[in-house]
Amino acid sequence: MGFGGYQGTILRVDLGNKQFKEHPIPKEWIRDYIGGDGFAAKILFEEVPPECRPLDKENKLILATGPVTGTSWPTSGRSAFFSKAALTGIWGESHVGGFIGPELKYAGYDLLVIEGRCEKPVYISIEDSDLQLKDASDLWGEMTDTTTSRVRRLEGDPDTQVAAIGPAGEHGVRFSSIIVNYARAAGRTGMGAVLGSKNVKAIAIRGRGAVQVNDHEAFVELAKQAHRRTRENPQAQEMSKWGTWSLTATKQEIGELPTYNHRTGVFSGWEKISAGYIRPRYTVSDRACFGCTIGCKKVNYIKEGEYAGTLEEGPEYEGLMAFGSSLGIDDYPTTLKANEICNKYGMDIISVGTTIAFAMELYEEGILTTEDTGGLELEWGNKKAAIQLLEMIGEREGLGELLSQGSKNAAEAIGPEAEQYAMHVKGLEVSGQDGRTHRSIGLAHATAARGADHLRSLVTVDQLGYEDVAAKRWGKDKLPEIIDPYTEKYKAAAVVETENAYCIRDTLIVCWYSVSWPPIFWMEDFAELLPLVTGIDEFGSVDNLNLIAERQVTLKRLFNAREGITRADDTLPRRFTKDPMPEGPGKGQTVDLDPMLDAYYRRRGWDKETGLPTDKIIKNLSLDWTRDFMN
């Protein structure tokens, strides 16, 4: 097709007719959307109508890569799944590390689009141009680890990359995930339930090709510099040693460690779920994804106690929060066991942990009783009850049946008295941040396309003391307010520009770590990189990249608008806007969301009253074609 970085082919599998078809990527798609998130937004908007429910056969699931995937650029092993989300019914996406993205590229494809539904369980086998749907009846009901091992044996190649669902995805647990190679989770929004609804147990990919870039010599030199910048970055070195666990101590220090279902931001037992405690006692090895210089993944082993013999990768910070401080549990082995169960069943550890915290608070308030819980005493810190309830959710048994629908749906089923304790935005459970002590994440959680999202526009330089970086990105005139976590001033500017940069990150596709935190690469780096990879000179303009990012953010907004999302949905749980932080450095703080929303919509060119893109911005972003697909 003439562009470097792309294989130029979309692979579609029609499950109902058991057919594979290959289609060329239109050149205008590359010009307007680059890849990854952008291609997926274009396809889902055009091909998944608003009347389609997430688990209907008409919904589609996309595995996407970008032009940088599978090259020697740092952290280029990422890929992402996209669909109308099973958990929320709106825009859904979930990114994942490992090696499956590069493998898809090496097999000759930039995207895999899964359509329709099989009558019987199958797994999708892609070995270069050998494309098959294989019987998976004997795999149905198996955990993801067993499924992965058996599929590899069936494929006869240990280098086959496997993405699998567990019982949770088969049972339609709304926050079920897709697990890649045992431990890498495409966790959020319920991609596993969508795959399960199609009777697809796994995707196996083996490719033996390569990715060609436009200017090989210049690209290799730039990639070498990028690896050196990453290796020499002090925060990257810290992450290499400690993983994301180092955030536990940082969050505790600034009063933003979600504790007792986000009631407070400090946890008395934080040290036992911190990096300095975990690594010397439990870590047995380090791991890295494809092309990664950092290597933030840690494999851990429990030698003694109730969970002796548990050997598992993770959990990362979010898992420590979800099954540690948020539940009042100061016991690392319990968080590791919970992570193992989540991976085997295929469940998002953030959503399921936050939903259990919701149930514990209802129990404390007397809204749930032991009659409702099947005898479980859901008291804060009850480790056994948390693990038992986690398995009940994976099986949709007892109280687990109700909670498997997510905290929003469960609260609506229980009654109005429960809704204030459900920590979600647009149905997606809140991740391990708190707008009361970090104003910009309050705005990011409220406006992100998939709900309470910490990965699409989380500003880190305002929270973690990167004053020089903030001055470079947004100007010295906005200091000190733009890095003050307790003021709303300038936060819309920071969120919008960060969201744009992350959008390009997710079209390439490269990892959160090295772009978002630590803040090593930014728009200028992408503008230098992309022409060398693709040969498209227009990608060398930061202004053009910002335009492409604005187009994609607005397209996702239009997708959600078609599902009924408006400004009224860009909100936060009342706990963040009405209940002052009760203790810690942020004591007394709340989020004043409306001024930030007004400023955010103004910068996006969206209507301030409705939160919807205006006709003018739709035209300016060349999104007029969307009018043919609106209600």
Side-chain angles (χ1 to χ4, degrees), residues 321-376:
M321 176 280 300
F323 276 86
S325 58
S326 188
L327 304 184
I329 294 173
D330 60 350
D331 182 61
Y332 175 73
T334 299
T335 67
L336 186 66
K337 186 65 180 179
N339 194 66
E340 180 190 67
I341 294 169
C342 285
N343 284 347
K344 288 188 175 184
Y345 272 91
M347 291 189 285
D348 174 23
I349 197 168
I350 301 174
S351 279
V352 70
T354 303
T355 301
I356 291 175
F358 157 73
M360 284 186 167
E361 189 157 17
L362 294 187
Y363 186 82
E364 182 182 59
E365 294 293 329
I367 299 171
L368 289 180
T369 68
T370 51
E371 186 174 340
D372 302 304
T373 66
L376 286 179

Side-chain angles (χ1 to χ4, degrees), residues 228-277:
R228 184 169 63 249
R229 287 171 63 187
T230 305
R231 282 195 305 271
E232 294 176 351
N233 182 279
Q235 287 78 41
Q237 292 171 358
E238 288 289 306
M239 183 171 293
S240 180
K241 180 177 181 180
W242 303 108
T244 59
W245 301 330
S246 58
L247 285 172
T248 302
T250 301
K251 296 286 187 181
Q252 173 74 10
E253 182 180 357
I254 62 180
E256 200 200 357
L257 182 61
T259 302
Y260 304 125
N261 196 28
H262 286 269
R263 182 185 295 167
T264 180
V266 293
F267 179 47
S268 60
W270 69 272
E271 287 182 291
K272 290 189 176 179
I273 54 172
S274 66
Y277 184 88

